Amino acid sequence: MRKLLAVAKREFKAAAANKTFVIMTILGPFLILAITVLPTLLNNDPKIASSGKPVAIYAERDDAGAYLGAAFESQKIPSVRVEDASRAKERVLSGEYAGLVEVPARWPDEEARYYSATGTDAALFGTSQGVLGALATELRVAEAGLSPEAASRLLSKPGFRVVKLGADLSEETKTDRDFMAVLFTALSFVMMIYMTVLLYGQMIGRSVVQEKTGKTVEVMLSSLSSRDLMFGKILGLGLAGMLQYGVWMGMGVLMIKVVGPLFSLSLPAAVTVGNFGWLVFFFLLAFFLYAAGYAALGAAAEDEYHLGQLAWPLILFLVIPMVMISTMILNPQSPLVLGLSYFPMTAPIVMLVRILVSAPAWWEVAASVGAILLAIIGVGFLGAKIFRVGILMTGKRPKIGEVLRWARLK
Amino acid sequence: MIDVQNVVKAYDSVKAVDGISFQAKPGEIFGLIGPNGAGKSTTIRMIMNIMAPDSGSIRLDGRPLAEKDKARIGYLPEERGLYKKMKVGDMLAFLAEIKEADRQASAERADEWLRRFDLLDWKGRKIEELSKGMAQKVQFIGTVAHDPDVLLFDEPFSGLDPVSQDLLLEAMLELKAAGKTVLFSTHIMDHAERICERILLINKGKAVASGALADLKRRFGADAARVEYDGDGAFIERLPYVKSCRSFPRWTEVELDGPDAADALYRDLAGKVRVRRFELLEPSLHSIFIRLVGGESEGADRA
């Protein structure tokens, strides 16, 4: 045990004194800031997102011009009425105006237009379209000779509410913004797990390969067993990962408990201390699983380039949940998502998202965690075997058959 | 005591080690001698349990090597390796730690060795800043600082300058005097001659000769002479019992076809040339080796 701890201590120091580690640890909280506070700030004040440049309004109808001006003002977006449409277009191109709304005299029978240099400023043209749409409806209702009461009744939408059922049948109203908040939170959590697992996995793989290319492996094996070496490395780098997550967690909790209330920010509903706990828990599971896999690949690899080639199946398993993230959020009960939440290689990420989005039963979480734990033992065992034999192999690329033969060796 | 019996190890179809047996005892330096690729490193790796032999047995004090025995052994592999980013002092402390050695005692020993190799000022520097020779000395210190009973040095002198080689030879003699079992491999016969009592000569995985160096030399006899003389010695080469004759500026080395020929040579020289010096030469380990393997490895030997 002393040997294993000595290796773990050395690996921890080597990892934590690493520039990437320091940068990631410092940047991590900013990422948390981005996922927690920024969306709320953006929602509260669209001005933060806008360029601050005025929107030009060229309206041949005064009612439309006045409506647009008022709508932009209510959103704190500056606007200006212009008399010359073609000059205004030039100023849009030169960057003086954020965009130009053009309403012709025969509108709404003739189309209105929004001009911009990008065509992607959805906030601006969305506002314009919405305002003009409402005005057109109003005009047409008046044209049809309906009373204002009849018109508002005609136009009002029937009530509809989306309710999330908690495990104890508790009810929680959901809105579009909630969906976006969950999407953001889930995406950020998944990104964090993906990045850190990949980063630490590759660190372990490289660290094993470097034992071979740096020729230290023989000295190491003359003092300790390959098992102590492998698990020492995994433990050391795992502790470095936990330190990093600890810093992030602390920042996250600080954000939720102190900064949020202080600036009376309404944080996305999915950003809770409990969910941060799940994040760390599933990070650890994913870490140990992928660490064992990477250690085995590192032992079988000839050098770091070869390791990169061998590692693609592992990366693929990490990428699958990333690609499927919107499916997982929109449809967490689909058979594919359920299946992936029990398949060990994808389970850490998929089950985490399921917990964020829906309320899986405790036994579902337990089954998923159990599958991951079994896989960790299996991959760790296999990895240790490949490690034992593969770590001394240099100068010759092992074939798949050979790797499997190592796994059977005593 | 290291007891190696009839050990065989094959890579694919090539037998790297083919039926090697020897014993290395406490208080002696045992030399494993042979050209590159003879199977020395493979043998040492098998003793270290880094590789398993295909057949045969390796015992340490009568038992197969167990994991806990690793703490008693110091191993300097042929492929030197230290963690480049670590400081010399930290590296040595780490190496002692994974041998589960007493921290303070091994740190003191390491400092003593660093002082001796004139490396104490480098203790706080990173390994990557050291020269190759310095790193090699640090590796040697890492091998001995936990005070092991058994020492395995695989080509310990390669890459060292003559002064450092002498320091190392001296250190190895001290380890022997302290009752350690020292096993080392080399392809440089001169080193083996200077410090080994007993040797095993191997070539292509097979033992060629073994035993005490003195016995070996006696067995191969004194069948060469070095002669210093004034006058015309051209006739020496034509004497019937002279196998070959090599002339150097100050003397001539004469290889004879048997120990008895020395007397005949001495008599024949008298009167024909003025002999200033006549000396019987012991065969060098090198010449014994060349004779045993038929010169086929001579090139490799100098590599």
Side-chain angles (χ1 to χ4, degrees):
Chain A
M1 205 58 191
R2 185 175 158 194
K3 296 175 182 183
L4 193 150
L5 289 179
V7 175
K9 199 171 127 197
R10 203 202 78 78
E11 294 291 336
F12 175 79
K13 270 193 196 162
N18 189 299
K19 278 196 200 91
T20 322
F21 180 85
V22 177
I23 291 170
M24 283 277 288
T25 310
I26 294 171
L27 285 186
F30 287 99
L31 192 68
I32 298 208
L33 194 75
I35 64 168
T36 52
V37 178
L38 217 56
T40 326
L41 282 178
L42 288 179
N43 280 335
N44 287 353
D45 191 353
K47 231 173 81 181
I48 292 176
S50 78
S51 59
K53 287 175 190 157
V55 184
I57 302 168
Y58 173 77
E60 288 174 0
R61 289 179 60 121
D62 269 342
D63 54 353
Y67 254 72
L68 282 168
F72 283 132
E73 205 193 324
S74 75
Q75 293 197 13
K76 299 195 178 83
I77 300 169
S79 65
V80 56
R81 288 287 291 269
V82 294
E83 299 302 326
D84 184 343
S86 52
R87 254 192 69 98
K89 281 182 197 167
E90 282 166 22
R91 292 174 129 188
V92 166
L93 269 187
S94 71
E96 224 168 305
Y97 293 147
L100 165 68
V101 193
E102 189 186 69
V103 185
R106 281 172 48 72
W107 180 86
D109 295 327
E110 207 169 280
E111 67 184 8
R113 288 182 177 188
Y114 178 82
Y115 296 96
S116 82
T118 61
T120 55
D121 34 4
L124 294 179
F125 69 70
T127 301
S128 313
Q129 193 180 8
V131 167
L132 290 174
L135 178 60
T137 313
E138 213 172 283
L139 290 172
R140 281 165 180 164
V141 163
E143 239 176 57
L146 288 171
S147 71
E149 291 78 30
S152 87
R153 204 176 145 60
L154 185 70
L155 295 174
S156 76
K157 287 179 185 167
F160 188 82
R161 184 188 289 251
V162 180
V163 180
K164 179 190 175 184
L165 279 176
D168 51 352
L169 282 179
S170 65
E171 295 186 8
E172 191 188 335
T173 302
K174 289 279 169 189
T175 65
D176 275 1
R177 260 182 65 184
D178 285 335
F179 168 75
M180 289 306 283
V182 170
L183 178 71
F184 269 121
T185 313
L187 196 61
S188 318
F189 278 18
V190 169
M191 274 301 290
M192 279 170 116
I193 290 204
Y194 170 79
M195 286 190 323
T196 45
V197 167
L198 204 61
L199 182 78
Y200 285 111
Q202 280 171 349
M203 263 164 109
I204 285 179
R206 270 207 307 276
S207 155
V208 173
V209 172
Q210 278 164 4
E211 294 280 346
K212 296 210 273 189
T213 54
K215 317 283 188 202
T216 42
V217 59
E218 278 196 54
V219 181
M220 295 300 287
L221 291 186
S222 76
S223 304
L224 40 78
S225 66
S226 55
R227 205 191 49 229
D228 280 350
L229 181 58
M230 179 173 132
F231 288 113
K233 277 177 186 294
I234 292 177
L235 182 66
L237 288 172
L239 287 174
M242 275 171 72
L243 171 69
Q244 194 164 56
Y245 267 77
V247 172
W248 294 353
M249 268 278 287
M251 288 297 290
V253 171
L254 201 71
M255 204 62 74
I256 296 164
K257 294 283 181 204
V258 182
V259 180
L262 211 60
F263 295 94
S264 57
L265 295 169
S266 64
L267 295 167
V271 177
T272 63
V273 176
N275 282 346
F276 271 108
W278 283 118
L279 172 69
V280 176
F281 179 69
F282 280 105
F283 159 72
L284 286 178
L285 289 179
F287 168 80
F288 283 113
L289 183 59
Y290 280 85
Y294 262 107
L297 290 181
E302 182 187 2
D303 51 36
E304 292 189 29
Y305 297 107
H306 190 204
L307 173 69
Q309 291 170 18
L310 288 179
W312 72 261
L314 284 185
I315 296 175
L316 190 70
F317 283 128
L318 277 175
V319 169
I320 289 172
M322 294 273 292
V323 178
M324 289 193 40
I325 184 134
S326 59
T327 315
M328 290 194 290
I329 294 169
L330 287 173
N331 207 350
Q333 297 297 328
S334 77
L336 181 62
V337 174
L338 290 182
L340 287 177
S341 70
Y342 300 117
F343 178 65
M345 302 304 282
T346 51
I349 292 181
V350 179
M351 193 39 102
L352 174 64
V353 174
R354 280 189 62 191
I355 290 174
L356 291 182
V357 179
S358 58
W362 69 266
W363 59 265
E364 287 183 293
V365 179
S368 173
V369 171
I372 300 169
L373 288 176
L374 279 179
I376 290 173
I377 295 167
V379 174
F381 185 71
L382 187 79
K385 290 225 157 171
I386 293 177
F387 197 94
R388 170 73 185 88
V389 187
I391 192 132
L392 281 171
M393 296 282 287
T394 44
K396 174 171 155 258
R397 291 201 172 191
K399 298 184 183 72
I400 291 289
E402 225 165 339
V403 172
L404 292 176
R405 196 166 55 82
W406 296 344
R408 284 202 303 270
L409 281 176
K410 206 178 82 136
Chain B
M1 185 172 80
I2 303 168
D3 186 7
V4 174
Q5 288 301 327
N6 222 359
V7 160
V8 177
K9 175 79 189 176
Y11 296 117
D12 293 328
S13 56
V14 183
K15 278 192 174 168
V17 174
D18 190 0
I20 297 269
S21 301
F22 66 87
Q23 290 180 332
K25 300 186 182 89
E28 75 167 355
I29 301 180
F30 188 90
L32 210 52
I33 323 290
N36 296 334
K40 305 184 297 285
S41 293
T42 304
T43 306
I44 292 180
R45 281 177 179 158
M46 284 189 290
I47 296 173
M48 223 35 254
N49 203 16
I50 288 172
M51 284 174 186
D54 297 339
S55 66
S57 78
I58 297 169
R59 283 164 190 281
L60 181 68
D61 295 339
R63 287 173 289 110
L65 185 98
E67 197 60 37
K68 65 173 165 48
D69 291 322
K70 285 183 175 175
R72 296 177 46 206
I73 305 180
Y75 170 49
L76 181 78
E78 186 186 15
E79 301 260 34
R80 315 278 195 263
L82 299 166
Y83 293 114
K84 292 192 177 58
K85 301 278 175 200
M86 272 180 112
K87 289 177 180 163
V88 171
D90 293 343
M91 183 78 222
L92 290 173
F94 173 70
L95 287 174
E97 191 66 22
I98 57 175
K99 290 288 189 186
E100 301 188 306
D102 181 86
R103 287 191 186 109
Q104 198 183 339
S106 51
E108 279 166 14
R109 271 190 297 269
D111 280 356
E112 185 50 46
W113 282 107
L114 283 171
R115 190 172 302 119
R116 202 164 150 179
F117 286 145
D118 210 12
L119 284 171
L120 206 54
D121 294 342
W122 293 80
K123 199 177 162 187
R125 307 283 279 272
K126 285 187 177 171
I127 301 286
E128 61 190 354
E129 295 172 53
L130 305 183
S131 73
K132 200 181 162 202
M134 286 170 166
Q136 182 136 335
K137 285 184 221 168
V138 170
Q139 185 118 41
F140 176 84
I141 297 171
T143 310
V144 297
H146 64 287
D147 196 26
D149 306 334
V150 177
L151 289 143
L152 306 173
F153 300 120
D154 198 355
E155 298 281 358
F157 304 104
S158 70
L160 288 179
D161 61 61
V163 179
S164 304
Q165 287 186 4
D166 282 351
L167 272 173
L168 213 61
L169 283 167
E170 204 179 292
M172 285 168 72
L173 286 171
E174 273 172 38
L175 291 168
K176 166 195 132 107
K180 316 284 187 195
T181 306
V182 182
L183 175 80
F184 91 107
S185 81
T186 185
H187 63 273
I188 300 166
M189 305 296 167
D190 177 50
H191 293 142
E193 280 207 79
R194 283 169 69 181
I195 57 172
C196 287
E197 279 96 358
R198 294 193 309 127
I199 58 156
L200 177 74
L201 274 173
I202 57 176
N203 186 44
K204 293 183 176 168
K206 285 196 162 78
V208 189
S210 67
L213 200 53
D215 290 346
L216 213 61
K217 288 194 169 184
R218 216 170 297 134
R219 198 166 92 214
F220 284 89
D223 48 7
R226 176 184 293 178
V227 189
E228 286 180 40
Y229 57 84
D230 295 322
D232 180 11
F235 70 94
I236 300 174
E237 219 171 341
R238 293 189 295 273
L239 292 169
Y241 46 82
V242 170
K243 276 163 77 181
S244 71
C245 192
R246 285 198 288 174
S247 292
F248 295 97
R250 288 182 51 228
W251 67 77
T252 299
E253 267 183 26
V254 185
E255 201 186 340
L256 306 163
D257 63 1
D260 299 336
D263 288 343
L265 175 66
Y266 189 71
R267 278 196 304 275
D268 286 337
L269 285 172
K272 293 197 175 105
V273 292
R274 204 165 75 81
V275 177
R276 280 188 281 113
R277 185 172 168 196
F278 187 91
E279 181 188 12
L280 285 177
L281 292 179
E282 270 194 321
S284 67
L285 195 49
H286 181 89
S287 68
I288 292 176
F289 185 79
I290 297 298
R291 244 186 288 171
L292 282 168
V293 304
E296 59 186 321
S297 299
E298 198 171 4
D301 195 77
R302 274 192 226 104

